[in-house]
Amino acid sequence: MVRVRRAAPAVALILSSSLLCACSGGDFGRTRADMRNDDMHKWIGAEATASVGVAPSQFQLTDSERQLRDLAYPLIEPPHSRPAWKAVFGDYQPSASPWRQKVVFDRTAYGRALIDEPHRSHASRYAQLTDDVRDDLTRFEPFFASAIRVIDLDRKRDASMKYMTELSPREKADAVARMQENSLIVQWVQICLEQRVSSYRWALERLVLQAPDGMAAEADRLISELAAQTANPPVAARPYIQRPLTTRG
């Protein structure tokens, strides 16, 4: 009986800790359903415009614009290479746009995180790299299909403003700002895809150097496929700003 009484506080502590973990994040680091909302990625457009000094549009997002932002987020967040248990508290983080002066792209960061992860075999590192590249390839077509639709609708919006009566300066400014915002989001994804290709190549080169394996051939094939698609996107957003990006590595 004494042992049971002594163990009770410990059991209670373990149970309470488990409940706290369950409340903090979803399964395997995914954002909990009750933490999501329709406009959870609206910040992407606001960050893009703010980083280049453009006033944000006050228009509400259309369904197509909301989908564009939802599909953009997995491609602009840094690719991860870490076990699921490290993300048990959830890892949703807004990202700074590439036009921020202080943003420095480090092409070695992904590879170093992948290779330096303790207790991971070289085979699992190759598998993780392959999975990450394949995930990007899977996301590529849906995002750009959405981008094509949004950019096309923006062209029609731009053309229609010439024929509108009593268009106020504020309405015109909001419409122009939204078109710029959508264009910047597409450019942001294009930049991030180029950076991902660079990061994946660096990681593969170091894996081959440290642990040569036949699995490298499949990873190289997928990276080359992603690079080819990135170099020839199905839609090119009209450049709004061109600023050289600082890279390291």
Side-chain angles (χ1 to χ4, degrees):
M1 295 298 293
V2 174
R3 290 183 179 178
V4 173
R5 284 196 295 270
R6 288 180 177 176
V11 172
L13 179 60
I14 293 172
L15 289 175
S16 62
S17 298
S18 299
L19 289 173
L20 285 173
C21 290
C23 292
S24 299
D27 294 338
F28 302 107
R30 290 189 293 268
T31 306
R32 289 184 339 190
D34 60 348
M35 295 295 289
R36 295 193 295 265
N37 60 72
D38 288 344
D39 287 336
M40 69 179 295
H41 295 130
K42 185 177 181 179
W43 63 267
I44 295 176
E47 166 62 16
T49 53
S51 67
V52 298
V54 175
S57 173
Q58 299 303 310
F59 287 169
Q60 293 185 5
L61 294 176
T62 66
D63 290 342
S64 295
E65 290 169 342
R66 186 176 294 110
Q67 182 188 56
L68 179 73
R69 286 149 181 78
D70 290 343
L71 294 173
Y73 179 72
L75 292 170
I76 65 175
E77 68 167 345
H80 301 302
S81 61
R82 57 187 172 184
W85 61 266
K86 280 194 174 182
V88 69
F89 289 103
D91 59 354
Y92 183 88
Q93 293 289 338
S95 303
S97 91
W99 297 286
R100 293 286 185 188
Q101 290 284 359
K102 295 182 180 180
V103 173
V104 177
F105 166 60
D106 181 4
R107 70 187 295 252
T108 72
Y110 169 83
R112 287 186 288 104
L114 180 70
I115 295 170
D116 294 343
E117 182 66 46
H119 312 301
R120 171 175 275 186
S121 68
H122 75 272
S124 70
R125 293 186 176 101
Y126 276 109
Q128 180 68 60
L129 173 60
T130 300
D131 287 345
D132 288 343
V133 181
R134 187 178 287 113
D135 285 345
D136 286 351
L137 285 167
T138 301
R139 296 177 180 122
F140 189 96
E141 185 175 348
F143 171 77
F144 279 102
S146 177
I148 289 172
R149 182 164 54 254
V150 170
I151 296 301
D152 180 61
L153 290 173
D154 276 347
R155 291 194 183 105
K156 294 176 180 177
R157 177 181 0 216
D158 188 35
S160 68
M161 287 195 294
K162 302 174 184 177
Y163 306 101
M164 291 183 180
T165 58
E166 300 181 0
L167 180 65
S168 71
R170 180 61 188 177
E171 287 176 319
K172 182 176 181 179
D174 279 333
V176 171
R178 178 51 51 81
M179 290 186 288
Q180 292 173 338
E181 180 180 319
N182 292 334
S183 180
L184 284 168
I185 291 172
V186 177
Q187 292 177 60
W188 188 348
V189 169
Q190 290 171 335
I191 291 170
C192 287
L193 283 170
E194 293 171 2
Q195 293 176 344
R196 282 171 179 254
V197 169
S198 178
S199 294
Y200 293 147
R201 287 201 185 283
W202 190 93
L204 179 59
E205 290 169 358
R206 268 56 191 184
L207 279 175
V208 171
L209 182 66
Q210 297 183 25
D213 192 281
M215 298 175 70
E218 176 64 4
D220 182 62
R221 183 188 69 79
L222 291 173
I223 294 172
S224 296
E225 182 179 349
L226 180 62
Q229 292 190 18
T230 299
N232 298 281
V235 61
R238 182 172 52 191
Y240 175 73
I241 184 170
Q242 293 182 345
R243 180 182 299 167
L245 299 179
T246 303
T247 61
R248 178 164 62 86

